[in-house]
Amino acid sequence: MKFLLGGLCLSWVLALGFSYPWMKGHPNITHDELSQHHPHPRIAGFPDRCDGLGFDAITLDEQGVTYFFRDEFLWKGFAAPAQRINETWPLLPSHIDAAVRVHHTLSPNENDRMLFFKGDQVYQYFGTTLEGQFLIHEKFPGIPANLDAAVACPIRECPANSLLFFKGETVYLLDLQTKLVKEKTWPQVHHCTSALLWLGNFYCFQGTNFTRFYPGTGIVPSGYPKDARDYFMHCEGRGHGKKNKTSADSNYNRCNNRSFDEFNEDELGRVYAFRENLYFRLDTKRDGWHPWPLRFSWPELHGKIDGVFSWNKKIYFIQGSQLFVYKAEAQYALIEGYPKPVTEELGIPSTGVDATFICQGSSLLYVILGNQVQSVNLEKTPRNLGDGFRIGHSHVDGAMCNTNGVYLFVGAHYYKYNSPSDLAAWTSTPDPHSISLDFMSCVH
Ligand SMILES: *[C@@H]1O[C@H](CO)[C@@H](O)[C@H](O)[C@H]1NC(C)=O
Ligand SMILES: *[C@@H]1O[C@H](CO)[C@@H](O)[C@H](O)[C@H]1NC(C)=O
Ligand SMILES: *[C@@H]1O[C@H](CO)[C@@H](O)[C@H](O)[C@H]1NC(C)=O
Ligand SMILES: *[C@@H]1O[C@H](CO)[C@@H](O)[C@H](O)[C@H]1NC(C)=O
Ligand SMILES: *[C@@H]1O[C@H](CO)[C@@H](O)[C@H](O)[C@H]1NC(C)=O
Ligand SMILES: [Ca+2]
């Protein structure tokens, strides 16, 4: 998937030969095959996904493989040729209306199920096993038959685990916990023929066109619609393979052992790695990998981040002398008045910050400058740098604390300490580990 005008395209990434786990869905396609910029072979009697006719439904399965459905066919992943639906799901009808992978972590019997909608019926599968067939209005009271599209909105992307259904002008938001249905009309998102959540981003497809939207508001950022053939698949003469970059030095290549600027885990469990103007989402790794521009989540942010931390349901970014503070709800929103000078806000220097971290449940912010770590109690006013300590690294790129401990990121490696006090009391530097192997799921 691509975003030129500040991004890259799937076919371009494939052309650069990103290693296999970059995305799922083509386990039988080798690295070398992906490196060649050829569209998939056509099979007589089977449709070509590049014909511009769009899809009946798109969804991921419980392993993170994306499926595109049309008529009695499906395409598995982003590059494979068409096959018949009944080869994978023998009892599923053709010409489905909508498909969705349910996230319902509080209800294991419903979590990670695939639901297929057709007419007034809903088919529930776990993997390829049909678990039941229901009437839509019985399983989901308030949701109409003959849907256009459906997409799941898990708790990290929506205030509650929800399903979004599209029919004509209307969007139906079903809260899976309370079973309440809200109806919305979103002027920019309607008549979706299929819908998809991929690595934290929501898409409404209208035929081969698609728009990205925010599920809380239905707002579409500028630049849409785009043509799915340039982003979600590999089509001859399409895509954007012309960028003058090599995979070896590209910021986009998460596996090249180049440094990252920062890492952060927020209070909703969203984990990010930041590199220049891009971020990777780590908690969605089972669904694949893709670099996104910062503005996809934080429209006001551009360029290298010096420090990031989450505290009090907000996410804080230090960029040079400026501090950006966002409300960290399902969708991030810049708090009015920001950015503000970091020195006034946090009492820390306006230059030289290499990394910041805070451990959940604590209000003690750690600021790393060179080999010095100093702390600020965010609950005190005025905020001032407290006592510091030295660490055994002359420079770190980024730092993060989560329930497992404190991680310092230096070049291609990270060093793990059990706690801030463990870091303060260091006598010898722990063994370096590979960021690309342990954080970015790269295989070598
Ligand atoms: C990969 O190909 C082999 C042989 O062609 C097949 O048995 C296997 O099911 C395929 N794996 C997947 C995940 O499609
Ligand atoms: C799938 O459908 C095709 C066409 O209707 C049929 O020829 C084939 O036998 C079916 N395969 C299975 C596994 O049901
Ligand atoms: C797709 O988008 C283009 C503009 O980018 C528009 O001209 C075309 O009518 C759209 N097609 C559909 C099916 O909405
Ligand atoms: C690509 O970049 C290289 C080195 O920066 C340069 O020599 C070359 O001319 C560029 N190619 C194109 C097509 O812009
Ligand atoms: C990155 O580092 C890992 C671990 O040291 C190594 O196995 C791998 O080959 C390196 N990758 C590249 C692209 O240099
Ligand atoms: Ca549809």
Side-chain angles (χ1 to χ4, degrees), residues 413-425:
H413 297 106
Y414 72 91
Y415 301 84
K416 184 174 169 287
Y417 298 83
N418 293 326
S419 63
S421 49
D422 191 29
L423 176 63

PDB file of all heavy atoms in Angstrom, residues 413-425:
ATOM      1  N   HIS A 413      20.910  -1.538  17.761  1.00  0.00           N
ATOM      2  CA  HIS A 413      20.773  -2.385  18.944  1.00  0.00           C
ATOM      3  C   HIS A 413      19.949  -1.740  20.044  1.00  0.00           C
ATOM      4  O   HIS A 413      19.761  -0.534  20.072  1.00  0.00           O
ATOM      5  CB  HIS A 413      22.169  -2.738  19.484  1.00  0.00           C
ATOM      6  CG  HIS A 413      22.962  -3.536  18.511  1.00  0.00           C
ATOM      7  ND1 HIS A 413      24.010  -3.010  17.794  1.00  0.00           N
ATOM      8  CD2 HIS A 413      22.830  -4.822  18.102  1.00  0.00           C
ATOM      9  CE1 HIS A 413      24.503  -3.937  16.987  1.00  0.00           C
ATOM     10  NE2 HIS A 413      23.805  -5.044  17.150  1.00  0.00           N
ATOM     11  N   TYR A 414      19.490  -2.608  20.943  1.00  0.00           N
ATOM     12  CA  TYR A 414      18.861  -2.088  22.154  1.00  0.00           C
ATOM     13  C   TYR A 414      19.459  -2.781  23.360  1.00  0.00           C
ATOM     14  O   TYR A 414      20.039  -3.875  23.259  1.00  0.00           O
ATOM     15  CB  TYR A 414      17.335  -2.267  22.107  1.00  0.00           C
ATOM     16  CG  TYR A 414      16.862  -3.696  22.275  1.00  0.00           C
ATOM     17  CD1 TYR A 414      16.551  -4.232  23.527  1.00  0.00           C
ATOM     18  CD2 TYR A 414      16.733  -4.538  21.165  1.00  0.00           C
ATOM     19  CE1 TYR A 414      16.123  -5.540  23.674  1.00  0.00           C
ATOM     20  CE2 TYR A 414      16.308  -5.847  21.299  1.00  0.00           C
ATOM     21  CZ  TYR A 414      16.006  -6.343  22.557  1.00  0.00           C
ATOM     22  OH  TYR A 414      15.595  -7.640  22.702  1.00  0.00           O
ATOM     23  N   TYR A 415      19.358  -2.104  24.502  1.00  0.00           N
ATOM     24  CA  TYR A 415      19.862  -2.612  25.775  1.00  0.00           C
ATOM     25  C   TYR A 415      18.709  -2.580  26.749  1.00  0.00           C
ATOM     26  O   TYR A 415      18.017  -1.564  26.860  1.00  0.00           O
ATOM     27  CB  TYR A 415      21.006  -1.726  26.280  1.00  0.00           C
ATOM     28  CG  TYR A 415      22.166  -1.660  25.309  1.00  0.00           C
ATOM     29  CD1 TYR A 415      22.151  -0.755  24.244  1.00  0.00           C
ATOM     30  CD2 TYR A 415      23.252  -2.520  25.432  1.00  0.00           C
ATOM     31  CE1 TYR A 415      23.193  -0.702  23.328  1.00  0.00           C
ATOM     32  CE2 TYR A 415      24.297  -2.483  24.521  1.00  0.00           C
ATOM     33  CZ  TYR A 415      24.263  -1.571  23.470  1.00  0.00           C
ATOM     34  OH  TYR A 415      25.293  -1.542  22.563  1.00  0.00           O
ATOM     35  N   LYS A 416      18.515  -3.678  27.464  1.00  0.00           N
ATOM     36  CA  LYS A 416      17.356  -3.748  28.348  1.00  0.00           C
ATOM     37  C   LYS A 416      17.786  -3.725  29.806  1.00  0.00           C
ATOM     38  O   LYS A 416      18.708  -4.442  30.201  1.00  0.00           O
ATOM     39  CB  LYS A 416      16.565  -5.021  28.066  1.00  0.00           C
ATOM     40  CG  LYS A 416      15.302  -5.117  28.878  1.00  0.00           C
ATOM     41  CD  LYS A 416      14.470  -6.310  28.475  1.00  0.00           C
ATOM     42  CE  LYS A 416      13.361  -6.533  29.473  1.00  0.00           C
ATOM     43  NZ  LYS A 416      13.844  -7.077  30.748  1.00  0.00           N
ATOM     44  N   TYR A 417      17.137  -2.886  30.572  1.00  0.00           N
ATOM     45  CA  TYR A 417      17.324  -2.798  32.019  1.00  0.00           C
ATOM     46  C   TYR A 417      15.987  -3.109  32.672  1.00  0.00           C
ATOM     47  O   TYR A 417      14.929  -2.839  32.096  1.00  0.00           O
ATOM     48  CB  TYR A 417      17.790  -1.393  32.410  1.00  0.00           C
ATOM     49  CG  TYR A 417      19.131  -1.008  31.810  1.00  0.00           C
ATOM     50  CD1 TYR A 417      19.218  -0.511  30.510  1.00  0.00           C
ATOM     51  CD2 TYR A 417      20.311  -1.169  32.535  1.00  0.00           C
ATOM     52  CE1 TYR A 417      20.440  -0.170  29.949  1.00  0.00           C
ATOM     53  CE2 TYR A 417      21.537  -0.834  31.984  1.00  0.00           C
ATOM     54  CZ  TYR A 417      21.599  -0.334  30.686  1.00  0.00           C
ATOM     55  OH  TYR A 417      22.808  -0.008  30.141  1.00  0.00           O
ATOM     56  N   ASN A 418      16.045  -3.666  33.883  1.00  0.00           N
ATOM     57  CA  ASN A 418      14.787  -4.090  34.506  1.00  0.00           C
ATOM     58  C   ASN A 418      13.910  -2.934  34.937  1.00  0.00           C
ATOM     59  O   ASN A 418      12.690  -3.058  35.004  1.00  0.00           O
ATOM     60  CB  ASN A 418      15.070  -4.992  35.711  1.00  0.00           C
ATOM     61  CG  ASN A 418      15.674  -6.311  35.253  1.00  0.00           C
ATOM     62  OD1 ASN A 418      15.327  -6.808  34.169  1.00  0.00           O
ATOM     63  ND2 ASN A 418      16.601  -6.849  36.031  1.00  0.00           N
ATOM     64  N   SER A 419      14.544  -1.809  35.257  1.00  0.00           N
ATOM     65  CA  SER A 419      13.781  -0.692  35.811  1.00  0.00           C
ATOM     66  C   SER A 419      14.662   0.546  35.755  1.00  0.00           C
ATOM     67  O   SER A 419      15.882   0.438  35.531  1.00  0.00           O
ATOM     68  CB  SER A 419      13.427  -0.973  37.272  1.00  0.00           C
ATOM     69  OG  SER A 419      14.637  -1.080  38.012  1.00  0.00           O
ATOM     70  N   PRO A 420      14.080   1.731  35.984  1.00  0.00           N
ATOM     71  CA  PRO A 420      14.918   2.933  36.039  1.00  0.00           C
ATOM     72  C   PRO A 420      16.003   2.838  37.119  1.00  0.00           C
ATOM     73  O   PRO A 420      17.136   3.281  36.901  1.00  0.00           O
ATOM     74  CB  PRO A 420      13.917   4.041  36.338  1.00  0.00           C
ATOM     75  CG  PRO A 420      12.619   3.534  35.806  1.00  0.00           C
ATOM     76  CD  PRO A 420      12.647   2.052  36.036  1.00  0.00           C
ATOM     77  N   SER A 421      15.678   2.221  38.250  1.00  0.00           N
ATOM     78  CA  SER A 421      16.707   2.138  39.290  1.00  0.00           C
ATOM     79  C   SER A 421      17.823   1.176  38.901  1.00  0.00           C
ATOM     80  O   SER A 421      18.995   1.380  39.236  1.00  0.00           O
ATOM     81  CB  SER A 421      16.094   1.764  40.648  1.00  0.00           C
ATOM     82  OG  SER A 421      15.252   0.661  40.490  1.00  0.00           O
ATOM     83  N   ASP A 422      17.460   0.146  38.152  1.00  0.00           N
ATOM     84  CA  ASP A 422      18.455  -0.771  37.596  1.00  0.00           C
ATOM     85  C   ASP A 422      19.383  -0.017  36.627  1.00  0.00           C
ATOM     86  O   ASP A 422      20.600  -0.194  36.623  1.00  0.00           O
ATOM     87  CB  ASP A 422      17.708  -1.899  36.866  1.00  0.00           C
ATOM     88  CG  ASP A 422      18.603  -3.061  36.477  1.00  0.00           C
ATOM     89  OD1 ASP A 422      19.599  -3.291  37.198  1.00  0.00           O
ATOM     90  OD2 ASP A 422      18.309  -3.724  35.461  1.00  0.00           O
ATOM     91  N   LEU A 423      18.794   0.867  35.839  1.00  0.00           N
ATOM     92  CA  LEU A 423      19.576   1.680  34.913  1.00  0.00           C
ATOM     93  C   LEU A 423      20.505   2.622  35.679  1.00  0.00           C
ATOM     94  O   LEU A 423      21.673   2.785  35.330  1.00  0.00           O
ATOM     95  CB  LEU A 423      18.625   2.473  34.003  1.00  0.00           C
ATOM     96  CG  LEU A 423      19.238   3.454  33.010  1.00  0.00           C
ATOM     97  CD1 LEU A 423      20.112   2.724  31.983  1.00  0.00           C
ATOM     98  CD2 LEU A 423      18.132   4.245  32.283  1.00  0.00           C
ATOM     99  N   ALA A 424      19.960   3.211  36.749  1.00  0.00           N
ATOM    100  CA  ALA A 424      20.764   4.167  37.537  1.00  0.00           C
ATOM    101  C   ALA A 424      21.918   3.468  38.243  1.00  0.00           C
ATOM    102  O   ALA A 424      22.967   4.071  38.477  1.00  0.00           O
ATOM    103  CB  ALA A 424      19.871   4.878  38.543  1.00  0.00           C
ATOM    104  N   ALA A 425      21.722   2.190  38.576  1.00  0.00           N
ATOM    105  CA  ALA A 425      22.716   1.475  39.378  1.00  0.00           C
ATOM    106  C   ALA A 425      23.639   0.622  38.510  1.00  0.00           C
ATOM    107  O   ALA A 425      24.337  -0.244  39.029  1.00  0.00           O
ATOM    108  CB  ALA A 425      21.990   0.576  40.388  1.00  0.00           C
TER     109      ALA A 425
END
